Amino acid sequence: MNRVTAEKTEGIVPVQEAGRIRVQNVSRFFLQDSGPDVIALNNVNLDIEPGKFYSLLGPSGCGKSTLMRIIAGLDEATLGTITLDEEPIRGPHFLRGMVFQDPTLFPWKTIEENIASGLEARGILKEKKHEVQEYIRLVGLEGFEKVYPHQISGGMAQRASLARALVNHPKVLLMDEPLGALDAFTRMQMQEEILRIWQSRGTTIVFVTHDIDESVYLSDKIVIMTPRPGKIKEVIDVPLGRPRSRNHPDFWRIRSRILRIFGFSPDFADSYHI
Ligand SMILES: Nc1ncnc2c1ncn2[C@@H]1O[C@H](COP(=O)(O)OP(=O)(O)O)[C@@H](O)[C@H]1O
Ligand SMILES: [Mg+2]
């Protein structure tokens, strides 16, 4: 049992195994017919420990989505390898659940059918039907089972998308700017929800954001990426307890450190989005 589940769940829901992702010497080049080739990732190495909450933080174009797509199995590294629990990644798999900025729900299916769609595709919906309800409850969508995606808000669609990934018991949850399209209030509410769900499930999370505060609030480790070519500049620990206070001096210290790494002066920066 990992640290998080051991400390925080107290029997809320059963715990599945959390996965370890190893990114070794990964580069991704995009060769262009016209213009210079793009080095989207340049020799990236990262050991993502089981059960921890990782954020990939960096400005637009630093390769966050490229790295996530390769971990998800939606794209391939030009060089290097990525493994989940020592197994090389070769294409998408439900053990690596995905939640992206656009919830990508099937518009013709109800919320319940959307959440069940992975189980249905795997031919195990019959025996797992009760879990669909369990996850609808976990993400707070009771009462919305029979409605269609266009009838719910963006925040609710993201909850449904989260439940759709979690019902498959992924070892790793990959989230690429999942809160990017939400208003500030819904965004903070969803941050709480994601933490609650992570603490109850114990899954490893890799979460992409360009919001410094969000990364400090949520993460155990922040992977700082810089562009041209996309690479990891530094991985920093966030040794703060939970729940966290955004006003705690230690929170500010970590935020200031990150601002400095990106070349901003913490005293003058009035926006912490990068
Ligand atoms: N399919 C593609 N073809 C060409 N260039 C791409 C492709 N996908 C990403 N890139 C380039 O790779 C770099 C990293 O992109 P991306 O991973 O989307 O960054 P981020 O998610 O951090 O904003 C950018 O310069 C982007 O333009
Ligand atoms: Mg991106």
Side-chain angles (χ1 to χ4, degrees):
M1 194 183 278
N2 66 49
R3 179 188 56 79
V4 172
T5 46
E7 281 176 12
K8 309 234 166 93
T9 51
E10 307 224 288
I12 301 170
V13 263
V15 175
Q16 85 291 20
E17 198 190 335
R20 176 186 292 275
I21 299 268
R22 275 214 177 90
V23 179
Q24 287 170 301
N25 307 318
V26 164
S27 294
R28 177 67 169 102
F29 310 132
F30 292 107
L31 306 181
Q32 311 281 25
D33 291 337
S34 58
D37 296 336
V38 176
I39 306 174
L41 293 173
N42 187 32
N43 196 32
V44 168
N45 286 283
L46 184 62
D47 183 6
I48 298 175
E49 298 167 46
K52 296 223 164 154
F53 198 123
Y54 279 71
S55 285
L56 306 184
L57 176 70
S60 192
C62 69
K64 304 181 297 294
S65 293
T66 303
L67 182 55
M68 291 293 266
R69 288 175 53 79
I70 297 173
I71 299 174
L74 297 170
D75 190 15
E76 275 183 54
T78 311
L79 300 169
T81 53
I82 301 196
T83 55
L84 168 60
D85 294 338
E86 312 297 327
E87 288 286 315
I89 287 167
R90 297 195 182 85
H93 196 284
F94 64 84
L95 287 177
R96 282 167 276 120
M98 289 177 284
V99 178
F100 293 145
Q101 180 167 347
D102 167 12
T104 64
L105 299 171
F106 298 118
W108 61 88
K109 290 186 187 233
T110 63
I111 294 310
E112 185 176 42
E113 287 164 354
N114 265 289
I115 293 170
S117 59
L119 298 175
E120 191 181 13
R122 289 162 59 204
I124 54 169
L125 182 55
K126 234 184 187 158
E127 60 264 37
K128 298 272 184 182
K129 190 95 200 221
H130 61 283
E131 292 203 21
V132 174
Q133 198 52 45
E134 182 191 321
Y135 281 90
I136 286 172
R137 248 199 325 274
L138 184 72
V139 300
L141 283 178
E142 309 102 309
F144 294 92
E145 292 85 348
K146 306 293 179 208
V147 306
Y148 288 87
H150 74 272
Q151 297 173 287
I152 61 175
S153 67
M156 288 162 78
Q158 278 306 30
R159 288 167 194 262
S161 183
L162 196 53
R164 181 178 56 179
L166 289 171
V167 77
N168 290 304
H169 297 243
K171 290 181 163 195
V172 179
L173 190 58
L174 305 170
M175 307 178 92
D176 192 350
E177 300 201 36
L179 311 185
L182 305 180
D183 67 81
F185 296 101
T186 311
R187 188 172 182 138
M188 289 211 282
Q189 198 179 21
M190 284 299 290
Q191 290 170 355
E192 299 303 329
E193 292 284 296
I194 289 169
L195 284 177
R196 179 179 64 81
I197 289 166
W198 168 64
Q199 288 171 340
S200 72
R201 301 305 307 164
T203 313
T204 311
I205 293 191
V206 189
F207 183 99
V208 168
T209 183
H210 53 252
D211 181 332
I212 295 179
D213 281 20
E214 184 168 80
S215 72
V216 179
Y217 189 69
L218 295 176
S219 323
D220 292 316
K221 303 246 186 192
I222 302 176
V223 179
I224 295 187
M225 297 181 68
T226 50
R228 286 176 294 277
K231 58 174 189 275
I232 293 178
K233 183 149 191 191
E234 207 169 320
V235 180
I236 68 167
D237 261 317
V238 185
L240 305 176
R242 290 187 177 88
R244 292 180 178 170
S245 159
R246 289 178 164 90
N247 292 323
H248 196 282
D250 291 340
F251 193 100
W252 281 79
R253 257 188 285 281
I254 294 171
R255 167 205 267 169
S256 300
R257 181 171 162 208
I258 297 171
L259 283 165
R260 265 188 225 102
I261 295 171
F262 283 114
F264 295 106
S265 159
D267 296 334
F268 293 105
D270 54 6
S271 163
Y272 300 105
H273 293 253
I274 50 173

